[in-house]
Amino acid sequence: MVSISRVLVALATVVLTAAPALAHFGMVIPSQDVVTSKEKAKVDLVVSFSHPMEGKGMNMAKPKAFGVVDGGKKTDLLATLKPTKVMDHDAWKSEYTFKRPGVGIFYVVPEPYFEPAEDKYIEHLTKVVVPAFGEEEGWDEPVGLPAEIIPLSRPFGNYVGNVFTGKLLVDGKPAAGVDVEVEYYNKDNAYTPPNEYLVTQVVKTDANGVFTYAVPFAGWWGFAALTDAPQTIEKDGVAKKVERGAVMWAKFVDPKHKKK
Ligand SMILES: [Cu+2]
């Protein structure tokens, strides 16, 4: 949807199949953006591969990896995943209970998804950060994924209008000049984008791999930094490219008004 080549692919797709090429996003959305009380220490996590603004789902195979990094300790949560539906398509859910103050970095490594409209595989390495009981150390720690957004803004406790800044690391090194697609999780189709350019917005990483986006309205926002994986995957005897996305989700909120 961004570069000329992608537009051409999209146009060719429209001619061939009349199916628009939408921006794909790995998603991991927690039931709470922050954990503040012992009574509500259980967080439900929903993992999907979707088109978040348009509310169109895709079937997601069971991820290769799903886990949390909390206090520098990695815990494998793959066995906790159960099937669910997101946007009427196959997705996954889990739950995690915070027992002590900490910052949980939840991460998903999916099976590569073949997208016929783009004639390539897509794998989005996706993260969300949930802090618990006032702790906030460790939100900028890398999980160690081959492509990963390291937040430079604390990725929780943000108001609408705040700027989100992140650094893209590919194989541990800052990646310059990479498109970062930005999309809103338009739950229940609450909003209608005025035109197709407002479905997916785009910013680029600078020479240091850093990107910035100012968030315009409340809810969950996804940032997907898109590079090509070094390897191809063979499908029916033909080597197909693999789009590797480093994806991060963060929630931005409005303050509460005093009731008059
Ligand atoms: Cu799709």
Side-chain angles (χ1 to χ4, degrees), residues 65-162:
F66 171 63
V68 64
V69 176
D70 185 349
K73 194 173 138 263
K74 201 182 262 192
T75 305
D76 184 349
L77 300 173
L78 189 62
T80 69
L81 285 177
K82 294 191 176 73
T84 189
K85 294 281 179 189
V86 170
M87 303 173 198
D88 298 325
H89 286 73
D90 296 345
W92 301 88
K93 65 175 180 183
S94 179
E95 54 184 56
Y96 184 80
T97 301
F98 284 90
K99 297 197 170 66
R100 62 188 75 81
V103 171
I105 306 172
F106 296 92
Y107 63 91
V108 180
V109 178
E111 288 289 347
Y113 173 94
F114 185 71
E115 174 53 74
E118 300 184 46
D119 194 33
K120 66 181 178 189
Y121 283 89
I122 301 174
E123 58 174 13
H124 280 187
L125 314 168
T126 305
K127 300 195 298 185
V128 71
V129 182
V130 180
F133 308 126
E135 180 60 78
E136 60 175 288
E137 288 297 308
W139 52 260
D140 53 354
E141 274 177 37
V143 171
L145 302 169
E148 180 165 2
I149 290 171
I150 305 300
L152 300 180
S153 313
R154 189 184 64 178
F156 48 81
N158 287 304
Y159 288 117
V160 171
N162 283 168

Side-chain angles (χ1 to χ4, degrees), residues 50-66:
S50 305
H51 305 114
M53 179 59 107
E54 289 163 303
K56 296 205 171 79
M58 288 164 283
N59 289 324
M60 185 187 197
K62 185 164 189 186
K64 275 187 192 162
F66 171 63

Side-chain angles (χ1 to χ4, degrees), residues 39-59:
E39 294 70 44
K40 284 180 64 187
K42 181 169 82 72
V43 178
D44 299 316
L45 296 140
V46 177
V47 176
S48 71
F49 188 50
S50 305
H51 305 114
M53 179 59 107
E54 289 163 303
K56 296 205 171 79
M58 288 164 283
N59 289 324

